[in-house]
């Protein structure tokens, strides 16, 4: 570029050409700068998306999966605080006799009720002398102070010795009579059916792997290998399999089910690695609208997550299926014949989670607005929980439906204002794409807003997975599904799973007829327990 005006040419034509050349260079530089700015914006946008993806992956791997405060974590924190308070109180009472005396009265803290069915052992503490301190005469009982404390007898093993005397006739040679040996679950083995039920409950309800149970037994002087316990579990699962099959048949006669799936790592020795199977959960719980069918859940193991598995599981079921947005369920519904339709009701919790992941990063007013509108819908649900299906439908039509109509209009308007590739746009498109299934609850009082029912039923599987890491074999994963189905269904019906399993194992071992298998279901056991006289 020419630096001084005295160096400019005097010829007008040359000067114009020079100015045009400068303008062309400046335009080229501006275009190059604009291109660099665009590239910089693209790279910055991609970088922001990658950081957001990384944040979500970190949260998925190491963070909490729920947007709610984990009650178990809160309980753990409160335990430590309460222990510190108790320690401080005990120290103060030890050093201050007046304070100790002032606290001898009844405490306002909930100590827990002591059930009437527990055995009582009475201890009577007599004074050193019952002679009158004034005249020395005999004194009579005018009343008493009575208190109860809870004690525990550590788990004890006992050996049941079964004797079968042989009878012979002195007159008739070779005539011998002996009672038939009772049938056992583990032939020629040492456990009773009650002990096997204890092992199953500890593993699948209390999430205590077999090797830990073996360690506990060893402390009691009973030396059992983990492989021995595994053999018991496998034989029990084989015996219980028809019960799980029948339970699923009963569930599939329901007009509405929940479905979800969770990973189930399985050891693959041939490939020297762990393969990823799936436990598919199918649940029924009509208690929120006063339905009479008992709650239940069934877990089915499959080596994958494809739609062919859910299609096989739900063969014969037609009605409403409450699910998340996973494509396998959509494939299942779209390929159903008209004679056996399947209607999908989608989950508001899964939709809410999309906006929560945007809002949790901060400074996201649109996501906050979406969360507020979803919260308004849930607030209505709180007022109608436990009411009849028709009462719930009427309230939803009057209160929820207007909110849903406004919500959809808000989605459509907001979608036109946000960048098409943004997470907000993707969340809104998800909502609009699933809208018919999301608002289905407003027209049917039996339907819940979300799939939390089945997600709660999956939590025990996650705890077992955390403790056991993986199943050792596909059959082991199937056993997991069988026993977990029965135990979680018993818990849903308020039945002690160990007592129930001990009862049904004993009956099945002794030839319980399959035509009466419905009488072994947990809800039938619960009715029997209530009808049984209290001893």
């Amino acid at each position: 570029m020419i630096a001084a005006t005295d160096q400019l040419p005097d010829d007008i034509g040359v000067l114009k050409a020079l100015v045009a050349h400068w303008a062309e260079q400046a335009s080229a530089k501006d275009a190059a700068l604009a291109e660099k700015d665009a590239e910089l914006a693209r790279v910055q946008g991609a970088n922001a998306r990658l950081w957001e993806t990384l944040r979500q992956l970190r949260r998925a791997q190491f963070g909490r999966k729920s947007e709610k405060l984990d009650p178990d974590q809160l309980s753990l924190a409160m335990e430590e605080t309460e222990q510190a308070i108790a320690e401080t109180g005990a120290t103060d009472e030890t050093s201050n006799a007046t304070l100790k005396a002032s606290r001898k009265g009844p405490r306002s803290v909930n100590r827990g009720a002591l059930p009437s069915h527990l055995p009582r052992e009475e201890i009577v503490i007599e004074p050193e002398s019952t002679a009158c301190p004034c005249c020395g005469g005999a004194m009579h009982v005018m009343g008493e102070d009575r208190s109860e404390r809870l004690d525990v007898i550590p788990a004890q093993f006992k050996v049941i010795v079964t004797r079968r005397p042989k009878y012979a006739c002195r007159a008739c040679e070779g005539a011998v009579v002996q009672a038939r040996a009772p049938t056992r679950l583990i032939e020629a083995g040492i456990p009773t059916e009650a002990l096997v039920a204890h092992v199953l409950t500890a593993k699948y309800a209390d999430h205590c792997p077999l090797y830990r149970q073996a360690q506990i037994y060893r402390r009691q002087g009973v030396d059992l290998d983990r492989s021995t316990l595994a053999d018991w579990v496998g034989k029990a699962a084989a015996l219980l399999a028809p019960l799980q099959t029948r339970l699923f048949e009963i569930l599939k006669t329901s007009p509405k089910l929940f479905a979800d799936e969770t990973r189930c790592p399985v050891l693959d020795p041939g490939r020297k690695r762990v393969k990823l199977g799936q436990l598919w959960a199918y649940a029924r719980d009509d208690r929120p609208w006063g339905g009479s069918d008992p709650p239940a859940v069934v877990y089915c193991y499959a080596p994958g997550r494809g739609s062919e598995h859910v299609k096989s599981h739900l063969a014969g079921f037609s009605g409403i299926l409450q699910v998340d947005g996973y494509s396998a369920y959509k494939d299942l519904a779209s390929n159903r014949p008209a004679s056996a339709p399947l209607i999908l009701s989608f989950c508001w919790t899964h939709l809410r989670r999309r906006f929560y992941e945007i809002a949790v990063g901060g400074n996201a007013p649109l996501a906050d607005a979406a969360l507020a509108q979803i919260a308004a819908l849930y607030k209505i649900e709180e007022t109608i929980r436990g009411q009849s299906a028709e009462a719930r439908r009427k309230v939803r039509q009057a209160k929820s439906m207007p909110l849903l109509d406004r919500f959809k209009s808000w989605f459509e308007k907001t979608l036109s204002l946000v960048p098409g590739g943004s997470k907000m746009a993707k969340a809104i498109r998800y909502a609009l794409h699933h809208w018919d299934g999301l608002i289905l609850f407003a027209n049917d009082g039996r339907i819940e807003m979300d799939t939390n029912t089945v997600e709660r039923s999956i939590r025990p599987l996650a705890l077992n997975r955390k403790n056991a890491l993986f199943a050792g074999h596909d059959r082991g994963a199937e056993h997991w599904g069988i026993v977990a189905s029965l135990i979680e269904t018993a818990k849903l019906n308020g039945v002690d799973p160990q007592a129930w399993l001990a009862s049904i194992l004993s009956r099945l071992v002794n030839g319980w007829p399959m035509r009466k298998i419905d009488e072994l279901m947990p809800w039938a056991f619960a009715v029997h327990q209530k009808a049984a006289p209290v001893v």
Side-chain angles (χ1 to χ4, degrees), residues 391-410:
R392 282 155 57 101
R393 187 192 68 81
K394 289 181 178 179
V395 172
R396 288 169 173 174
Q397 286 288 307
K399 296 183 178 181
S400 300
M401 191 56 87
L403 295 181
L404 291 168
D405 291 339
R406 290 197 294 271
F407 205 180
K408 184 180 182 182
S409 299
W410 183 86

Side-chain angles (χ1 to χ4, degrees), residues 59 79 90 159 223 225 248 264 337 353-354 366 400 429 437:
R59 177 173 178 263
E79 285 176 8
V159 178
D223 195 0
D225 291 337
F248 201 12
C264 178
R353 191 167 297 146
R354 291 172 176 263
L366 292 178
S400 300
R429 282 196 292 269

Side-chain angles (χ1 to χ4, degrees), residues 15 28 31 82 100 105 169 179 181 201 208 223 228 244 305 310-311 320 347 368 373 400 432 479 509 527:
L15 183 60
E82 289 163 350
K100 183 176 181 179
C169 177
T201 305
C208 185
D223 195 0
T228 300
Q244 185 222 27
R305 198 169 177 245
V310 69
K311 181 179 180 180
I320 299 168
C347 174
D368 291 337
Q373 295 181 78
S400 300
L432 294 175
H479 294 164
V509 164
V527 172

